[in-house]
Amino acid sequence: MRAVIVSHGQPGDPGPQQRAAQDLAAAVAAQDPGCEVVGTTLAMPGALAEAADDDSLIYPMFMAEGWFTGRELPRRLAEAGAGGARILRPFGTDPALPGLIVATAHRAAAEQGWQPGDTTLLLTAHGSQRSQASFTITTDIATGIAPHFARVVTGFVEQEPFIADAAIGLDRAVSLPFFALRAEHVLGDLPAALDQAGFDGPRLDPIGLAPEVPALIAAAIRKATGKDGQHGL
C-alpha cells in the first residue's frame, strides 16, 4: 500500500509546488507512517497517474471538505486510473489542527513578550464566492480556539470579511494563514492585504508548514491503515 499526499499545485509553474509536495512526503515517511509515502500535485502533468493506483491511500493536503475533495479529486483519480483509491479526510479537518494553531500562535506571541490573553489571532484563509466550505471550517476553528486568545479574527482572500478589512487596527496581533503550503495566495494576496491594512504584527508561515505537521499526517495514515497501535513497536 502507498499513501499519496496530493496538493493543488500551481498550474502556471508546477515545479516548485511539486517539489514541496515531495519534500513533505519525505518528512512524513521519516515519521514511520507504516507504508510508503509519496507526494504530488494536481498541477504537474501526469504526476497523479504516476503516483497513485487503485490500492493507494490519498491524503488531500487541502484545508476544507467540499466540491474539490468530494467530486473533482475523485474525477481526477478516475482519469489517472486510480478510481479505486481511498480518499482520506483532508489536512484542514484533522482534529489535532486547532491545538497546533493555538500552540503555534502562542509561541509567536511569547517571542513578542505578549501573554495569550492579550493577543489577537488573525486567522486568514482562502474563502470562496462559490462554496462556503473554507469559510465554515475557518470560522468553526476560530470559534473553538477563541478562549485561548483575547480574540480571534478571520479574514479571507476571496470573500468577506476580506483580509485587508479584517486586519485593520489590530493590536498585539499574530497573523497565521490557514493554508496548507506556501503558494500563490500566501506569497502574493496575503502580504499585499496585510500591507494595505497596515498590519505590523508577526506574519507566520502557513499552518501546513509547521514542524509538527509531518507527524500529524503520519498519524492519520497509520490510523487509516490500522497500524496506529503498532507505532514504535
Side-chain angles (χ1 to χ4, degrees), residues 63 164 166 181 228:
M63 299 310 298
L181 299 170
D228 49 334

Side-chain angles (χ1 to χ4, degrees), residues 30-151:
Q31 296 293 322
D32 189 21
C35 65
E36 180 188 7
V37 183
V38 299
T40 190
T41 67
L42 298 175
M44 179 63 75
L48 185 62
E50 183 176 341
D53 59 28
D54 282 336
D55 294 323
S56 297
L57 285 176
I58 307 299
Y59 185 93
M61 198 62 186
F62 304 153
M63 299 310 298
E65 288 179 308
W67 174 82
F68 213 97
T69 57
R71 298 185 64 179
E72 182 63 8
L73 182 55
R75 185 187 70 79
R76 299 279 191 100
L77 286 166
E79 285 185 349
R86 177 184 170 194
I87 302 176
L88 305 184
R89 297 192 68 191
F91 169 69
T93 68
D94 194 292
L97 200 53
L100 179 56
I101 290 171
V102 171
T104 301
H106 280 182
R107 283 196 299 265
E111 291 174 359
Q112 301 296 316
W114 303 339
Q115 294 298 315
D118 299 325
T119 301
T120 293
L121 172 61
L122 174 63
L123 192 63
T124 58
H126 188 282
S128 173
Q129 297 289 346
R130 295 179 297 175
S131 168
Q132 288 297 298
S134 174
F135 178 87
T136 298
I137 191 170
T138 307
T139 302
D140 287 349
I141 288 178
T143 299
I145 65 177
H148 299 279
F149 300 92
R151 59 191 294 222

Side-chain angles (χ1 to χ4, degrees), residues 9 19-20 51 78 97 100 103 119 124 142 153 165 172 174 177-179 198 200 222 229:
R19 288 189 292 273
L97 200 53
L100 179 56
T119 301
T124 58
V153 177
D165 299 321
R172 294 192 179 190
V174 174
F178 189 64
F179 284 85
D200 60 2
R222 283 194 299 272

